Amino acid sequence: MPAALIVTTLGLFLATGMLYVSQNQHRALLSATVRSSGWVAYQAQLEYVKTQNQFEVTTLRLNRRSLDELQFRLELLRSRLPLLYDSDEGRLLQEVAAQKDVLQHYEGVLDSLIDSLPNLSPDAPATLPALRSAFYEIEPLGRVLQRVLMQSVAYNEEIFRREREVAASPAVVPFALLFVSGTCLVAILFMDGRRDRLRLAEVEAAKSEVTAVQDNLRAIIEAMPLGTIIVDPDGDQVRFINPSAQTLVDPSPQHPEWKRLIRLAFETASDANGRPTGSISMAFTKPNGEIVSLRGMVGSVIWEGRPQILILLSDTSGTRNAELQLMQAAKLSTLGEMATAIAHELNQPLAVIKMAVANARRLVLSEADSEAITSKLDRIGTQVDRAKRITDQVRRYARMPSDQTASFSCRTAVELASGFVAEQYRAAGIRMSLEMDISPDLMLSGDQTMFEQVIVNLLVNARDAYDNKKHDTSQAQVTVRARTTGPDVIIAVEDGAGGIREDVLGQIFDAFCTTKSADKGTGLGLSMARNVVRDMNGTIVGANVEGGACFTITLPVGRSQAQDVA
Amino acid sequence: MTIERSILIVDDETELAEELGEFFVSMGWQARVCFTAPAAYAALQEGLAPDCLLTDLRIADHDGAELVAQVRQMPKDLQPKVVAIITGHVVSETEAADFNADYLFVKPVDPVLVMEVVERLLSDATASDREAMLRG
């Protein structure tokens, strides 16, 4: 529609312009004609009258001078005649053009008269009659010229009338056209304005909607119990913290402790090789000394129009403490199950000590040499150390798990865990084989005791599996394998006790899922194991292999000690 | 003058076995120490015929109970007069019969006590043997 209006307006403007140009040309032609028309007729008539007058004068005062004057007049008149039919007017007016032959006839008359005049003598008696006859000969020319003049005047009057008309209604059509095109222009402008206003209103509405959404989002983020921190990737500068996050460090984003929290979050959210994992599980010491467990994630976000880093943190200290308590309960339960085995193990050094003491006493009473007695005392000392190692292990195992992450040797931890259950295995007649294809320098990151608990749990489960099946213990064997694959370390615990029932295989990592009798298992072991491994950014899977079950733990290798020092 | 008595001690706890053997020797016994069940069984089959067999219940890969059972299958004259078990396991002393043994010592045990018990059991066994002979 506006396009049609624009085309119409342009057309109208063009038409108006052309009309104006044509009127102007018309007006110019008219004035040019007015300037030329009539004038030649008038001049010719005037010359005719002057010539007649000279005839009169010459007949009254016939002398050489008056004759010359007459000749001059005649020549002038002769020169005016062709102008009549050769002028614009002459060509324009039929009546004037029709007189061309008549006028040319008189031109011939005048020419012969002009030629004869010098031959006339003023004194000769024939001169006067000749002049009179010439006078009468050209008299009809006066009437022709009178007619031509009348025609010209009539024509001029017509022209004047038209000119007056043009002057009276000089620009009705252009004005009308201008009015129409002006209206069109106004319409276009109005429609354009209306459309722009509508668009502006839409933009304004969208803008205010966006602002409202942003305000809402901000209000939601502010009210969220989840700690929200937005960090500028340039220089880890904190851009925004919601009230929940403020309780972690300080309400001011400028507080220097934020950098420590952010660095820690970035560290836990990426694995040993700096690959981002996104998820955070860490312990953080607040500036006031309180230690909190934090769970959350790191992601990217567009904030205030720029890509920034979003850190979401949830203070899980409560649940985490409950989880740790549960883990401790599960551990103590395992420890309880192992009590008889531990007592047996402890009884061995005690028995040696008891014997050695009896022998030492005898040596003392028989006054034997001191060397023999010292050797007995040395043996007693060695056995005390052995007993201490056992109690140390128990103490270590019974220690409350913490959320503190540290670097520890994977191999040492697996060996400690296996050592802890070794006596049980011996008691149960199950062979334990360690195939450790890893260096003692290979470090893992997490809580070592909890990781050991995972291995102990798997080993205790394997032992119980043999118990459950009433297996032929002479063939019973559990293999612990450790090896590295790329950036990961893989620890597998495999038994040959017949495997896990297919119907429970899918739920083995669920809490309270157990195949053991109530006095042997709580159903928390594998659930805890999964949590511990997950906290270490690893995975644990259980599967049936030929003749038994195999649990495989995959963990990212932590930084080596050397790197730690650096 | 007492007759020299003999004992075969079997325990994979080498130091314990050694101390116990040393004690019995010091008290005038003939003591033989084995660290594995097969070694002990071989010695018995070779005709060692000790007065007493004292074995641990769990000896490395082998079961002390198995050894006891094997010994019980041997000809009467090759069998030790007294078979006792010494164990670190938490078991009641009345469980000795379950293993077909004459006595069950629980570690840690005073070697003096071990010897007293073994001597008493031996004299009882000798007395019952004599009775049997008289009746026969």
Side-chain angles (χ1 to χ4, degrees):
Chain A
M1 184 68 182
L5 272 172
I6 287 167
V7 169
T8 312
T9 315
L10 276 176
L12 283 169
F13 264 117
L14 207 63
T16 313
M18 280 162 67
L19 199 68
Y20 180 75
V21 168
S22 95
Q23 279 204 344
N24 257 3
Q25 279 178 346
H26 194 63
R27 203 188 293 264
L29 181 68
L30 277 180
S31 57
T33 316
V34 167
R35 270 198 306 280
S36 61
S37 71
W39 182 252
V40 279
Y42 168 72
Q43 287 289 320
Q45 181 71 19
L46 189 66
E47 282 309 318
Y48 174 75
V49 172
K50 280 183 178 172
T51 307
Q52 267 194 326
N53 188 47
Q54 192 58 45
F55 262 111
E56 296 289 346
V57 170
T58 309
T59 47
L60 285 176
R61 284 186 209 127
L62 192 59
N63 51 31
R64 191 74 252 166
R65 196 166 154 262
S66 64
L67 275 175
D68 288 347
E69 188 71 16
L70 182 63
Q71 184 164 357
F72 174 65
R73 283 291 154 202
L74 284 171
E75 279 171 0
L76 272 179
L77 179 63
R78 165 66 182 88
S79 71
R80 296 292 177 196
L81 291 186
L83 292 177
L84 286 171
Y85 54 84
D86 261 349
S87 70
D88 285 342
E89 183 191 337
R91 280 190 295 272
L92 208 65
L93 298 175
Q94 281 296 312
E95 289 81 355
V96 177
Q99 303 298 324
K100 187 179 176 180
D101 290 341
V102 180
L103 288 170
Q104 281 178 340
H105 162 73
Y106 282 104
E107 278 171 29
V109 173
L110 284 173
D111 282 341
S112 58
L113 200 59
I114 290 162
D115 289 341
S116 66
L117 267 182
N119 305 323
L120 290 179
S121 161
D123 305 321
T127 302
L128 205 58
L131 285 173
R132 283 225 171 89
S133 100
F135 177 80
Y136 289 119
E137 203 177 356
I138 62 168
E139 204 176 17
L141 177 63
R143 283 192 297 276
V144 171
L145 289 176
Q146 184 69 32
R147 223 165 28 244
V148 169
L149 185 63
M150 291 310 285
Q151 289 284 344
S152 288
V153 167
Y155 176 66
N156 276 355
E157 265 173 6
E158 173 63 18
I159 283 169
F160 283 135
R161 191 188 60 76
R162 278 166 61 186
E163 205 174 25
R164 272 197 309 275
E165 246 175 39
V166 170
S169 56
V172 171
V173 173
F175 269 132
L177 285 174
L178 273 175
F179 178 75
V180 171
S181 58
T183 311
C184 282
L185 257 181
V186 169
I188 289 169
L189 286 175
F190 176 75
M191 282 171 69
D192 257 13
R194 211 171 92 90
R195 197 188 50 203
D196 286 352
R197 267 201 311 281
L198 282 173
R199 272 199 196 152
L200 202 65
E202 272 172 26
V203 168
E204 288 285 330
K207 227 183 193 174
S208 65
E209 203 173 313
V210 166
T211 314
V213 167
Q214 274 180 346
D215 287 352
N216 272 346
L217 272 179
R218 216 175 167 111
I220 290 167
I221 291 170
E222 293 269 359
M224 257 203 312
L226 202 61
T228 309
I229 305 162
I230 287 168
V231 183
D232 196 326
D234 296 337
D236 296 349
Q237 192 63 46
V238 174
R239 292 281 172 227
F240 171 82
I241 35 173
N242 74 347
S244 298
Q246 287 170 13
T247 61
L248 293 176
V249 175
D250 192 82
S252 159
Q254 269 74 46
H255 197 281
E257 284 290 280
W258 282 113
K259 293 225 177 208
R260 185 169 64 88
L261 175 67
I262 291 162
R263 264 201 306 276
L264 199 62
F266 286 169
E267 250 168 51
T268 24
S270 42
D271 66 10
N273 299 309
R275 293 176 301 194
T277 61
S279 69
I280 301 171
S281 176
M282 64 180 194
F284 175 69
T285 314
K286 288 188 184 184
N288 64 9
E290 185 192 343
I291 297 172
V292 287
S293 294
L294 299 176
R295 281 262 163 91
M297 48 94 40
V298 172
S300 51
V301 71
I302 301 289
W303 184 265
E304 285 164 356
R306 289 198 307 123
Q308 312 219 16
I309 297 167
L310 170 70
I311 301 174
L312 293 177
L313 291 172
S314 172
D315 184 348
T316 55
S317 301
T319 31
R320 189 64 183 155
N321 283 341
E323 206 175 270
L324 293 177
Q325 294 277 2
L326 201 59
M327 198 172 291
Q328 177 70 348
K331 241 166 54 169
L332 292 180
S333 157
T334 312
L335 202 58
E337 289 165 35
M338 286 162 48
T340 53
I342 295 163
H344 175 252
E345 206 181 343
L346 204 52
N347 278 339
Q348 299 294 351
L350 289 179
V352 178
I353 290 166
K354 192 84 181 167
M355 305 286 175
V357 165
N359 283 331
R361 182 195 300 278
R362 181 182 46 78
L363 288 170
V364 171
L365 291 177
S366 64
E367 291 179 7
D369 58 7
S370 63
E371 204 177 315
I373 300 164
T374 314
S375 113
K376 291 292 165 223
L377 292 175
D378 286 348
R379 177 162 277 182
I380 290 165
T382 311
Q383 294 302 314
V384 169
D385 287 346
R386 183 179 162 193
K388 185 179 177 295
R389 277 200 297 278
I390 298 163
T391 52
D392 276 353
Q393 259 184 344
V394 171
R395 202 171 49 199
R396 193 184 150 65
Y397 195 75
R399 198 169 59 198
M400 180 71 192
S402 79
D403 222 2
Q404 300 285 9
T405 296
S407 233
F408 63 86
S409 158
C410 175
R411 186 172 178 148
T412 308
V414 173
E415 282 171 354
L416 278 169
S418 333
F420 194 50
V421 295
E423 185 50 36
Q424 287 185 66
Y425 268 62
R426 204 159 58 196
I430 303 165
R431 215 187 339 268
M432 188 199 295
S433 150
L434 290 187
E435 294 174 12
M436 307 288 278
D437 199 11
I438 53 171
S439 148
D441 293 338
L442 189 90
M443 305 304 272
L444 292 177
S445 182
D447 183 306
Q448 182 175 352
T449 347
M450 293 213 277
F451 174 69
E452 284 174 29
Q453 151 84 3
V454 172
I455 305 295
V456 167
N457 240 296
L458 295 178
L459 290 170
V460 167
N461 282 351
R463 183 208 63 185
D464 290 346
Y466 278 114
D467 269 13
N468 275 0
K469 303 281 159 60
K470 298 288 174 222
H471 217 267
D472 172 15
T473 51
S474 65
Q475 298 297 315
Q477 175 166 335
V478 174
T479 310
V480 181
R481 290 189 193 90
R483 66 190 166 85
T484 52
T485 305
D488 297 325
V489 61
I490 291 172
I491 303 135
V493 177
E494 184 180 331
D495 64 57
I500 306 157
R501 284 206 325 264
E502 289 296 330
D503 57 324
V504 291
L505 194 57
Q507 299 128 47
I508 47 173
F509 291 105
D510 295 349
F512 305 113
C513 168
T514 183
T515 55
K516 300 180 193 175
S517 55
D519 60 326
K520 278 219 148 167
T522 52
L524 292 173
L526 284 180
S527 157
M528 284 298 127
R530 188 191 50 188
N531 288 351
V532 170
V533 172
R534 183 204 56 207
D535 288 349
M536 294 172 72
N537 291 324
T539 56
I540 177 167
V541 290
N544 283 328
V545 291
E546 201 181 336
C550 180
F551 284 85
T552 309
I553 300 166
T554 308
L555 287 168
V557 176
R559 289 154 302 173
S560 77
Q561 277 169 315
Q563 278 173 318
D564 267 0
V565 170
Chain B
M1 177 67 202
T2 51
I3 319 147
E4 193 175 66
R5 299 192 187 270
S6 60
I7 187 165
L8 172 62
I9 299 164
V10 192
D11 201 323
D12 61 341
E13 280 284 334
T14 54
E15 291 180 325
L16 185 130
E18 279 169 12
E19 288 293 336
L20 198 55
E22 187 186 323
F23 182 79
F24 271 92
V25 169
S26 74
M27 299 310 279
W29 284 57
Q30 255 191 5
R32 172 89 179 258
V33 173
C34 287
F35 301 134
T36 67
Y41 185 64
L44 287 170
Q45 284 202 313
E46 283 164 17
L48 183 68
D51 293 318
C52 176
L53 169 69
L54 182 62
T55 178
D56 187 13
L57 206 49
R58 193 76 69 185
I59 317 156
D61 296 344
H62 289 80
D63 198 336
E66 275 172 37
L67 179 65
V68 173
Q70 281 176 326
V71 167
R72 290 300 188 207
Q73 299 294 315
M74 290 173 76
K76 201 72 180 166
D77 55 330
L78 288 179
Q79 278 191 30
K81 292 188 189 70
V82 170
V83 175
I85 287 172
I86 180 165
T87 178
H89 283 286
V90 185
V91 285
S92 106
E93 295 188 16
T94 55
E95 280 179 64
D98 296 345
F99 298 102
N100 207 0
D102 298 306
Y103 203 85
L104 196 146
F105 297 103
V106 175
K107 294 176 190 173
V109 62
D110 193 331
V112 178
L113 182 77
V114 175
M115 205 174 67
E116 279 172 14
V117 171
V118 169
E119 279 184 334
R120 181 164 52 77
L121 288 170
L122 266 180
S123 59
D124 287 356
T126 316
S128 63
D129 278 0
R130 206 174 293 135
E131 261 175 49
M133 275 199 317
L134 284 172
R135 272 204 300 275

